[in-house]
Amino acid sequence: MFLKHLEIKNVRSLSSYEMEFSEGINLIYGQNGVGKTSILEAIHTLSISKSFRAGYRKNIQKINSDTMSVVGIVSGKVEKIIAYRKILNQKKIKINEQVVEKISDLVGVFPSIVLSPEDIDIVSGGNSARLMYVNKILSISNKDYLYALARYNKIIKLRNKCLVDNKHYREVVVWDEQLPLLAQKIWQHRRDFFEHFNALFKEMWTKVILSEKVAIKYKSLKIEDQKNLLFELESRFEKDKVRGLTGVGPHKDRINFFFGDVDIKDQASQGEKKIFLVVLKVAEAKYLHMETNKKPVLLLDDLFAKLDRSRVKKILQLIDNKYQTFITTTDNSVESYFNNFENVNFIKLKKNNELCSVA
């Protein structure tokens, strides 16, 4: 599966953009502000209907414009035309002219994996960023997980409102009785995921770095019996009311990334965190490919920043000819990173949306 053609109108600073892409690496380079990241945002919108940039996810429409559109032709076993259009505040998504009523029906049709500067929170930030990352992978690859998580989160939100409103437990138990089954599903899917994903990650890591050991550790509440979880929810009720938050369940699971013997967020350099994150994303691509039998598209924004040339070349070896990849950079010497230009589509993006394809 790969994106063959893209046409966008009124996305960020880009009034109009149309381009054919190669099946291998598409390297988009140029100065800051010319729209490189906007192209990746548009591609990601075809994947899950929103941008990947925090604070900008819901609306990528150009300022002072009433309409916007992103249309992509996706090549695979069956060619698909995915269209995202917005007129004023009304949006419409279509796949081959069929209207998509629910976002969950779009998720997984054209999977994409993003690496952006904001993703550094996955390795540098708190536990919530790591849980969000894992939830996204599993939601794309596993519909059962997606539905269970969505329902679980909705109930937790309702339960928390009851806690804040100082409700009696008899008004909360109706939500508590629904949580154990959903929690068990979520925990089982997460345990299966980490068992598989850890092996893939370590395999990718040894191809890039041999000198430093890494580990991904997942810790969940060990409540195998649904009755025990229901008991735990009830016994913590008064304590939860004081905090206004539910203190037990899958949303409290812990994920740690170790670089050497310490959590990577506490000691690793910015360059080491970046290389860990890149390998994490490549392992994610391989995992999704194996689970869904669909090749995801890699969107690597500002890939070369904080990485030395030798590590960049190793990263490029990991992805070369395996997945369609879009890389953005401001580095004008990017051509020197590649030994073989045959599968690289060099796209120089200039101001006023002027394009120059080099190969």
Side-chain angles (χ1 to χ4, degrees), residues 73-313:
I73 299 176
V74 178
S75 182
K77 291 181 179 179
V78 178
E79 190 169 272
K80 292 183 175 68
I81 300 176
I82 304 175
Y84 177 101
R85 294 185 175 91
K86 192 172 182 182
I87 301 176
L88 297 177
N89 291 321
Q90 299 296 317
K91 68 179 181 181
K92 184 172 288 187
I93 304 168
K94 290 184 177 181
I95 300 175
N96 291 342
E97 294 302 318
Q98 295 294 314
V99 175
V100 175
E101 301 290 351
K102 297 184 295 183
I103 300 303
S104 58
D105 292 333
L106 175 66
V107 173
V109 173
F110 172 59
S112 65
I113 293 169
V114 181
L115 171 68
S116 74
E118 295 169 339
D119 283 329
I120 199 67
D121 279 350
I122 296 172
V123 291
S124 294
N127 189 63
S128 60
R130 300 177 185 189
L131 268 179
M132 190 180 300
Y133 172 65
V134 170
N135 283 338
K136 182 178 178 181
I137 299 174
L138 278 166
S139 294
I140 292 172
S141 62
N142 189 322
K143 291 290 186 183
D144 185 52
Y145 183 88
L146 174 63
Y147 297 140
L149 182 68
R151 182 61 183 161
Y152 176 86
N153 286 339
K154 184 176 181 179
I155 293 173
I156 289 293
K157 187 176 180 179
L158 291 167
R159 187 181 196 272
N160 288 345
K161 187 177 187 308
C162 290
L163 297 172
V164 171
D165 293 343
N166 199 31
K167 300 289 187 181
H168 191 276
Y169 187 68
R170 63 175 172 268
E171 297 180 69
V172 177
V173 69
V174 64
W175 304 123
D176 283 8
E177 288 173 344
Q178 297 179 57
L179 288 174
L181 178 60
L182 295 168
Q184 292 299 319
K185 283 186 177 182
I186 292 167
W187 278 327
Q188 187 57 57
H189 286 310
R190 284 181 182 173
R191 283 193 286 268
D192 292 343
F193 165 77
F194 279 105
E195 183 178 350
H196 189 183
F197 188 79
N198 272 336
L200 290 176
F201 177 77
K202 288 181 179 179
E203 177 190 344
M204 298 294 103
W205 182 263
T206 56
K207 292 180 179 179
V208 179
I209 294 180
L210 297 173
S211 58
E212 196 69 56
K213 291 183 179 180
V214 292
I216 300 174
K217 294 186 179 180
Y218 166 63
K219 185 177 181 181
S220 65
L221 185 67
K222 293 183 178 179
I223 298 180
E224 299 299 334
D225 188 273
Q226 293 179 33
K227 290 182 180 179
N228 288 342
L229 178 56
L230 187 59
F231 174 79
E232 188 75 16
L233 287 164
E234 183 177 0
S235 64
R236 293 182 57 94
F237 179 67
E238 293 302 325
K239 186 187 295 186
D240 285 349
K241 275 210 297 187
V242 174
R243 298 175 63 245
L245 295 169
T246 302
V248 63
H251 62 289
K252 304 300 289 185
D253 288 357
R254 303 289 304 176
I255 300 170
N256 294 95
F257 298 145
F258 286 91
F259 188 81
D261 296 324
V262 297
D263 193 301
I264 193 169
K265 70 178 181 180
D266 297 325
Q267 186 167 314
S269 68
Q270 290 301 305
E272 289 167 336
K273 289 177 180 177
K274 178 70 176 283
I275 196 72
F276 189 101
L277 188 56
V278 174
V279 177
L280 203 65
K281 296 288 184 172
V282 177
E284 178 187 345
K286 189 168 184 178
Y287 175 84
L288 288 177
H289 186 195
M290 294 173 72
E291 290 295 311
T292 66
N293 202 30
K294 294 179 182 177
K295 279 190 175 185
V297 170
L298 286 172
L299 309 175
L300 309 178
D301 194 21
D302 202 16
L303 174 64
F304 304 137
K306 299 177 182 175
L307 291 178
D308 59 54
R309 186 173 294 268
S310 64
R311 285 181 175 174
V312 167
K313 288 193 172 184

Side-chain angles (χ1 to χ4, degrees), residues 7-11 67-71 84-86:
E7 180 181 344
I8 61 180
K9 292 181 180 178
N10 295 327
V11 172
T67 64
M68 67 151 284
S69 67
V70 182
V71 181
Y84 177 101
R85 294 185 175 91
K86 192 172 182 182

